[in-house]
Amino acid sequence: MKLHQLRYLAAVADNELNITAAARALGTSQPGVSKQLRLLEQELGFDLFDREGRNLTRLTPAGRRVLERARRILDETRNIKRLSEEFRDERRGSLSIATTHTQARYVLPAVIKQFRREYPEVKLHLHQGTSEQIAQLAAEDRVDFAIATGSDEQFPGLVLLPCYRWHRDIIVPAAHPLSRLERPTLKDLSRHPLVTYVFSFTGPSSLAGLFEAAGLPMDVALTARDADVIKTYVRLGLGVGIVACMAMQEGEDQDLVTLDGSHLFPEHVTWIGVRRGRMLRNYMYDFMRLFAPHLTRRIVDQALRAGGGAATAQVFEPVRLPRY
Amino acid sequence: MKLHQLRYLAAVADNELNITAAARALGTSQPGVSKQLRLLEQELGFDLFDREGRNLTRLTPAGRRVLERARRILDETRNIKRLSEEFRDERRGSLSIATTHTQARYVLPAVIKQFRREYPEVKLHLHQGTSEQIAQLAAEDRVDFAIATGSDEQFPGLVLLPCYRWHRDIIVPAAHPLSRLERPTLKDLSRHPLVTYVFSFTGPSSLAGLFEAAGLPMDVALTARDADVIKTYVRLGLGVGIVACMAMQEGEDQDLVTLDGSHLFPEHVTWIGVRRGRMLRNYMYDFMRLFAPHLTRRIVDQALRAGGGAATAQVFEPVRLPRY
DNA sequence: TACAGTTACGGACCGCGTAAGCATA
DNA sequence: TATGCTTACGCGGTCCGTAACTGTA
């Protein structure tokens, strides 16, 4: 059994059992992969794949078990590689973060500014996507961590570290009748067309559910994927905007009035998701501290260790989670 | 990085950093090991070992971190090998158990008899030793499991599965004055010389501690490592024997009188210890069931998984632990 | 005919073992 | 002088890529 045989096995599994595609992804030849898999099957004494003619159709039960172990081995080889980078130069490396628009646009800039001052030699990579895409990227070890909200428990490979709580606010142009209210109610809102996030309509804490539970009608004028678009259309008078409170920052958007929505909308928690069992570079711990000061190295290590064997995403619950 | 380089690293660490000894243990040449370790260090970019002249004196901190990861990888390769054996023929294989005299002599025979009927093709290996030696063997992956009593929390690499509770009994020749008592007290015992286990004198639940707490003198005539020796000297009239209740079985030792000691001596728990993260063969689960019926596959898997990342030995506590 | 996997083959590389060299106690 | 690591070197196996072949949609 060779490491690269396990690597080939994983690559084939990750490429819909297409050996050619796997070989391309591995940067090697297709016959090589084919042969090494055969050799591995021969050494183990059983088939890893079911075959129809020459094509692979699926993993055998035994193959799934082997793949599971192989992945752990490959994870650890990557961790050793990271160790090597860490001990060579702990101030140099790369940090890949997958995150949502809201984080990337409003929350992360301040953190990243400080991080870059601290670690000028660390190359940063930001990937924007939906919560699901983000968690997926982290679970596949293609980014160092994911920063997102919601979707707990959907990703068994991840350990989720809660960072802060937040809520939605209401935004209107200064001239809008709602701008004069201190504490608008759902009923007030239901009298105006709404402009909000697409994903506010999925899940149990959806806006739709909220209005329905209150027996109120809801008129949605526009759904967008990010707060910038929402703000634009609120300015055009298309309706009342509902955005994450992080999107409204001191000194910006002076033409809009922000009304606190914490009494109307449920709280959300933004977390950092790390693939279970992953080794973190020193600067990654420091990044977490900058993003969420309660995430000390001790706390993070403990959460990562505890998440070692569970079937669902692990959520570490601090004593008191700060509000944004 | 190659698997065998990691294997060499582990072997050198396991042989007091003596490359020659490691090479011998690996069945390969010393220069080969030396060279591969150098290559690994070169690839990683830092030293794994501190050297004085040409001799290795200790692992570097980085080396320790790498070794830790390497061991996990090697564990998983062994697990894959076990998978291979399991899928080739789930009724054939080997089962190595390290255990104490009491288990091997009195408890295991019945279990093993039934196990051999069920799995005639599984080769059995029994290793006898003290609790500490036993736990050590399991922690080093040199046996499949350890069966012993006490010594909890001493072996961070092990998951301990409690099997049954037991206590010590008192044995005397039929003619002995104590044989007429229903419920002898510590005071009764203190009037006679005692014959018991060596290891009953270590630890917090020691006999010595018991007598001392009661303010009673204790006269120890003989200490032995096993119940057979104790019985022999009790028969010679050397004193009153104190042995594990498992050592007194129905229909045997008819010349001796057994007095229940559960009201005098504290309870002990016998466990099966398994190295954390280890894959178990089907027949190993079955062996556990035979030994302790409450250890179902589900329960064992759960305990093994939960023990994935803890720093001390994990003890799985069932709702109700049977008495022997 | 395009596509995917297997078989065949030559070349490069690599790890092993032997033998010799060198440092330390 | 014994022990233990390193260097040097030749052999054999292995892995890779190319090319040709085979079976399937």
Side-chain angles (χ1 to χ4, degrees), chain A residues 66-125:
Chain A
V66 174
L67 175 61
E68 185 188 335
R69 306 272 170 190
R71 286 206 197 275
R72 290 193 211 165
I73 289 176
L74 298 174
D75 282 353
E76 288 300 344
T77 65
R78 274 190 290 271
N79 280 339
I80 290 178
K81 217 153 269 146
R82 276 184 206 112
L83 270 174
S84 142
E85 290 162 8
E86 180 74 12
F87 281 99
R88 262 207 287 258
D89 184 352
E90 66 168 8
R91 307 198 63 74
R92 172 174 272 123
S94 84
L95 174 58
S96 303
I97 301 171
T99 190
T100 56
H101 172 85
T102 306
Q103 307 298 325
R105 171 77 172 77
Y106 298 107
V107 187
L108 284 176
V111 176
I112 283 179
K113 189 176 170 192
Q114 202 169 343
F115 181 80
R116 297 206 50 164
R117 192 162 39 214
E118 184 93 22
Y119 290 101
E121 308 250 50
V122 172
K123 288 217 174 10
L124 279 163
H125 304 278

Side-chain angles (χ1 to χ4, degrees), chain A residues 38 41 71-72 108 117 201-202 207-208 243 274 310:
Chain A
R38 289 291 200 182
E41 288 182 319
R71 286 206 197 275
R72 290 193 211 165
L108 284 176
R117 192 162 39 214
F201 291 91
T202 64
L207 279 184
V243 299
V274 183

Side-chain angles (χ1 to χ4, degrees), chain A residues 204-310:
Chain A
S205 68
S206 71
L207 279 184
L210 224 57
F211 278 89
E212 195 176 352
L216 293 167
M218 182 171 64
D219 174 13
V220 178
L222 182 142
T223 62
R225 302 204 90 93
D226 66 74
D228 289 324
V229 172
I230 294 173
K231 288 178 192 174
T232 303
Y233 286 95
V234 168
R235 286 194 175 95
L236 288 181
L238 209 73
V240 174
I242 300 177
V243 299
C245 63
M246 296 85 82
M248 304 312 296
Q249 308 203 314
E250 288 290 324
E252 290 187 23
D253 306 308
Q254 310 254 5
D255 55 330
L256 297 176
V257 174
T258 306
L259 303 168
D260 186 272
S262 56
H263 61 293
L264 288 180
F265 309 121
E267 260 186 355
H268 296 272
V269 172
T270 290
W271 41 256
I272 296 182
V274 183
R275 186 181 159 97
R276 182 187 301 152
R278 225 193 110 111
M279 188 213 129
L280 296 182
R281 300 283 309 263
N282 275 331
Y283 58 73
M284 296 178 187
Y285 288 102
D286 283 344
F287 184 94
M288 287 188 183
R289 286 288 304 269
L290 287 176
F291 189 77
H294 64 281
L295 291 180
T296 62
R297 184 175 184 127
R298 208 175 55 77
I299 297 274
V300 171
D301 277 341
Q302 194 183 322
L304 284 181
R305 238 194 318 254

Side-chain angles (χ1 to χ4, degrees), chain A residues 17-19 38 49-58:
Chain A
L17 304 187
N18 182 322
I19 295 186
R38 289 291 200 182
F49 304 98
D50 283 332
R51 292 172 167 82
E52 268 175 24
R54 309 195 145 199
N55 291 38
L56 312 187
T57 54
R58 56 183 176 177

